[in-house]
């Protein structure tokens, strides 16, 4: 079984390959105050739920406070509330639906 196999074509590489040269790995523990990032899918799940007709009551934890609000919409990376307030998504650390 010493059959010769055909040669494989290889594209010549004329440039320098610099994969993974700029990686930094830190073994330090992250601080407790590190900001959590809310994924847009979490907010979309609230608006796409079957029980969301006009508003949804949620518990928001922001950098400064924790409050229950009725959200009615999403516009330009901001949540719109029933009482007319605009809450930037960047400030939200956690969002949970209240039954």
């Amino acid at each position: 079984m010493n059959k010769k196999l055909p040669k494989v074509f290889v594209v010549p590489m004329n440039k320098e390959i610099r994969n993974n040269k700029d990686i930094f790995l830190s073994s330090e523990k992250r601080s407790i105050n590190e900001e959590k990032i809310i994924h847009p899918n979490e907010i979309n799940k609230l608006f796409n739920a079957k029980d969301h007709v006009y508003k949804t009551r949620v518990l928001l934890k922001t950098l400064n406070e924790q409050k229950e609000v009725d959200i009615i919409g999403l516009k330009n990376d901001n949540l719109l509330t029933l009482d007319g307030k605009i809450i930037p998504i960047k400030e939200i650390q956690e969002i949970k639906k209240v039954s």
Side-chain angles (χ1 to χ4, degrees):
M1 297 204 75
N2 285 338
K3 293 183 179 179
K4 286 190 172 183
L5 296 174
K7 292 186 177 183
V8 178
F9 176 74
V10 178
V11 177
M13 300 291 278
N14 297 330
K15 62 181 180 180
E16 180 182 345
I17 299 174
R18 298 176 52 205
N19 291 347
N20 298 331
K21 286 192 175 184
D22 299 328
I23 299 272
F24 173 76
L25 179 62
S26 174
S27 62
E28 294 179 19
K29 293 184 179 179
R30 296 182 178 175
S31 66
I32 297 172
N33 295 332
E34 182 178 272
E35 294 181 27
K36 295 180 184 177
I37 299 173
I38 296 295
H39 199 273
N41 286 342
E42 292 182 51
I43 296 171
N44 288 336
K45 283 181 187 177
L46 293 172
F47 289 117
N48 293 334
K50 290 182 180 180
D51 59 345
H52 176 80
V53 178
Y54 174 68
K55 63 180 181 176
T56 301
R57 187 103 177 137
V58 295
L59 175 68
L60 290 177
K61 291 183 182 177
T62 62
L63 299 172
N64 302 324
E65 61 185 339
Q66 177 177 338
K67 58 186 172 183
E68 282 189 25
V69 295
D70 292 319
I71 57 172
I72 58 170
L74 176 68
K75 183 177 180 184
N76 298 336
D77 296 332
N78 296 313
L79 285 178
L80 306 174
T81 64
L82 189 61
D83 57 352
K85 294 183 182 176
I86 297 173
I87 303 170
I89 294 177
K90 293 178 184 178
E91 292 182 5
I92 300 173
Q93 291 183 334
E94 188 176 344
I95 187 168
K96 290 183 183 177
K97 184 175 178 181
V98 177
S99 300

